[in-house]
Structures are given as structure tokens and as C-alpha cells.
Amino acid sequence: VYYTENVFRRDRHTGDYREIPQTGLEYIGGQAGLAESEVLSLACKSLATIGEATLDLSHMEYIEAMLAPLGDNGLRQRALTARRAKSPHEMRMAAGEAGLGTSDAGRLAALAGLSGPLGEAFAQARRISEGVPGTARPLDELQALCSTVESSGVQLRLDFSILNDVDYYN
């Protein structure tokens, strides 16, 4: 199911609502992996038709696993806000308030700045999440998914600051 409509979104900087055009796709059902591959392929073909494009990708399960040490409280929300803003300082502050050690705080600070072309971003994501339960599988899935469309002509990047409703999107 797809849609094209105007929606209202709150501006991150001013807090004001603004109207923007949005096109979206809901893929309901389908075999795991195949559904994501089809959606990503469609996105790449659409962007390639428009012209030169870059597509930023994220994985909510990876973010959730990285933020799990913060617990399920206001600190998790603060960390999500820091991640959206790509703020290592705010991420360290949230980690400190959660009582996390220097190593975990460093991981979360690195997560705040994690974005870039696939090769280097995947390497960085694996490095900072080494030993963190629940992070390897989402990275493997995302890397396999990206390999299905690398020849599409669209530049693919990882950007884990792309977050909306983490309880809704997969």
C-alpha cells in the first residue's frame, strides 16, 4: 500500500509545525528479508529515476540493542534525542546519569556520530558494538540487504540518526 499526501511535522529546531509532502509505502506480510529487499529496490529505482541520489539507511533493532543498557526510562528517550541530533556530549550525559561505565558511555558517544558510506560505517558500527548483545544480527541483515541494491546507481549510507517512532518501524 502506498500513499502520497501532505503531512505536518514538528521542526526539530524551532518546534513549529510545518507542512511537507510525503510519499510512503506500507509492506504488510511477505517473507522476512524479501519484503525489505523489495522495498529498498523500489526506493533505489525511484531515486535513480529522479537523478543522482543518496539513500540513508538505519536499523531500529541495532539502535534498541545499543541503548538497552540505559533501561526503559527517560534516559532512553534522552539518548534517542541525542542520537537524532548527533550529539556525543548529550549521549555521554545520558550514559552518566544511567550509571554506565566509561566503556559503555564511549560506545554510546560513538553511536551518536555514526554515519557515512557503507563500508566505513559498517566497520565502525561493528567496532563500537562488539560484545553488545543483539547488535550483530541487525547489522548482518542490513549489510545483506544493502548488497542486493549496491549496483542500483544510488549511493547508500548508514545513518543511525534517522529515527522516528522506534516502536513502529522495522
Side-chain angles (χ1 to χ4, degrees):
V1 176
Y2 74 94
Y3 60 90
T4 299
E5 62 188 8
N6 288 345
V7 297
F8 291 88
R9 293 286 185 258
R10 183 170 285 196
D11 185 277
R12 278 195 277 186
H13 304 291
T14 67
D16 296 334
Y17 281 96
R18 59 189 176 101
E19 187 174 10
I20 61 168
Q22 178 173 304
T23 299
L25 173 80
E26 301 293 329
Y27 193 115
I28 302 167
Q31 184 179 2
L34 177 61
E36 291 86 353
S37 181
E38 286 183 307
V39 169
L40 185 57
S41 178
L42 177 62
C44 288
K45 287 176 184 176
S46 299
L47 290 170
T49 299
I50 294 169
E52 188 174 323
T54 300
L55 181 60
D56 289 335
L57 300 168
S58 184
H59 198 299
M60 300 311 300
E61 193 175 328
Y62 178 79
I63 297 293
E64 287 294 325
M66 288 293 290
L67 297 182
L70 293 171
D72 202 18
N73 54 31
L75 293 176
R76 181 180 164 279
Q77 190 58 44
R78 184 171 171 187
L80 288 171
T81 300
R83 180 59 211 132
R84 281 185 193 98
K86 297 182 180 181
S87 174
H89 174 73
E90 286 298 317
M91 195 69 91
R92 280 188 192 280
M93 296 291 288
E97 288 179 35
L100 300 181
T102 305
S103 177
D104 285 333
R107 285 180 200 271
L108 292 179
L111 175 65
L114 179 56
S115 68
L118 290 184
E120 63 188 62
F122 272 124
Q124 184 181 5
R126 289 190 190 284
R127 190 170 44 256
I128 68 170
S129 62
E130 188 175 338
V132 177
T135 57
R137 192 179 59 75
L139 287 177
D140 290 344
E141 284 178 2
L142 192 54
Q143 199 160 18
L145 181 62
C146 289
S147 71
T148 67
V149 293
E150 281 183 316
S151 63
S152 67
V154 172
Q155 180 184 359
L156 300 176
R157 294 171 21 97
L158 286 187
D159 188 342
F160 289 107
S161 71
I162 301 172
L163 303 170
N164 284 320
D165 183 348
V166 295
D167 296 324
Y168 177 78
Y169 293 101
N170 63 14

